Amino acid sequence: MDEISTSNPNSQATKPLDPNAAVSTVQTTMDKFLSVANVEAVYGQPIREGENIVIPAAEVLSFAGFGLGAGSGSQGAGESENTGSGSGGGGGGRVFSRPVAAIVISPKGVRVEPIVDVTKIVLAVFTTLGFMTAMFTRMAKTKPPKFNI
Amino acid sequence: MQNSILRIETLTGPAITIQDTQVHLRSQIVQLRFSRINGGVIWNRPVAVVVRTLEGKEKIVPIPDPTRYAMLTLSGLCFIGMLLLISLKRKQAES
């Protein structure tokens, strides 16, 4: 087991670090991140409703990233001078999911019912209009350059 | 395959059997891996439903995404509008 001290060489506090725990955490995070890359992540469990079976389908977008670092240093020239070392790591991620369609399997056949996210579209329309208006206003305010020929 | 930066793959799930019909669910993944920063992006979306009957007939039912189409159309309109405004402004400056 390694000993890890803080970056301040004068500090007496030391904290034991279990490298296996850090590796395990990173491994778990990566496993969760990679689990998005399969069919089961997109399609839900089939729901039976009478003679029909409904399968929900969603789009999944996942981001993840992490980093680890370590360093050490010494202060002074003698053998009894302060030395220190440290290591750390961090990471993060996010999973976005949006319903796309519902697949209805009935005795008559299979049909796909798309799910329209009206709120998202309306927000996008307003954002587009706002951007266009702002750009038009800004361009109308700026004076055209004069060309001296 | 696992070490490649970009991976685009269509995956097919296990068969769901209902009476005399087999249904396979298909999804497409786009995976970006950044080895230097230890991370990546995975985009997974449903693509189609493959329906197979006992007679051997196969039918592929695509899964449309109207929300994405609308978003892409709006982005395109925004870009075209921006280009039009820039060209109008340039014409004004020239005249």
Side-chain angles (χ1 to χ4, degrees):
Chain A
M1 188 177 284
D2 290 343
E3 288 277 311
I4 182 170
S5 67
T6 59
S7 57
N8 183 0
N10 296 323
S11 172
Q12 296 296 316
T14 56
K15 213 178 192 179
L17 174 75
D18 183 8
N20 293 329
V23 171
S24 169
T25 307
V26 169
Q27 189 62 48
T28 311
T29 311
M30 283 310 285
D31 285 347
K32 278 185 182 173
F33 169 64
L34 291 171
S35 70
V36 170
N38 63 37
V39 180
E40 284 82 17
V42 167
Y43 296 100
Q45 288 295 316
I47 302 157
R48 191 175 283 274
E49 185 66 42
E51 285 188 323
N52 300 335
I53 290 173
V54 181
I55 303 168
E59 180 186 57
V60 182
L61 185 65
S62 170
F63 299 88
F66 65 91
L68 297 165
S72 63
S74 62
Q75 193 178 32
E79 282 182 14
S80 61
E81 297 298 328
N82 290 325
T83 58
S85 65
S87 64
R94 186 90 196 257
V95 178
F96 297 96
S97 182
R98 183 175 61 82
V100 171
I103 299 146
V104 182
I105 306 164
S106 64
K108 289 177 185 173
V110 177
R111 70 175 199 275
V112 174
E113 296 287 338
I115 296 165
V116 183
D117 193 345
V118 182
T119 313
K120 197 172 183 176
I121 294 170
V122 170
L123 281 173
V125 167
F126 280 117
T127 309
T128 308
L129 287 173
F131 176 76
M132 296 292 284
T133 312
M135 191 155 176
F136 186 77
T137 313
R138 193 177 165 169
M139 285 184 122
K141 275 182 184 173
T142 52
K143 289 178 182 175
K146 287 176 184 175
F147 297 103
N148 297 321
I149 303 167
Chain B
M1 192 75 180
Q2 285 296 313
N3 293 327
S4 59
I5 296 168
L6 180 68
R7 177 181 156 218
I8 301 170
E9 201 178 337
T10 304
L11 306 168
T12 306
I16 300 167
T17 310
I18 298 130
Q19 292 172 358
D20 57 346
T21 311
Q22 266 194 348
V23 176
H24 293 265
L25 304 168
R26 251 180 212 174
S27 77
Q28 189 183 51
I29 61 155
V30 178
Q31 186 175 352
L32 265 170
R33 293 187 79 165
F34 310 114
S35 54
R36 282 197 175 188
I37 57 166
N38 298 313
V41 179
I42 297 175
W43 178 37
N44 196 350
R45 66 184 180 95
V47 176
V49 182
V50 183
V51 185
R52 281 197 194 112
T53 55
L54 280 179
E55 298 101 54
K57 283 181 185 174
E58 192 177 282
K59 188 182 166 191
I60 297 171
V61 185
I63 298 173
D65 188 354
T67 310
R68 188 154 49 90
Y69 300 152
M71 301 299 280
L72 286 172
T73 309
L74 282 169
S75 303
L77 281 173
C78 196
F79 185 70
I80 291 165
M82 196 178 74
L83 287 179
L84 278 172
L85 279 174
I86 290 168
S87 64
L88 271 172
K89 196 71 186 171
R90 278 194 178 168
K91 273 186 183 174
Q92 272 183 2
E94 283 170 8
S95 60

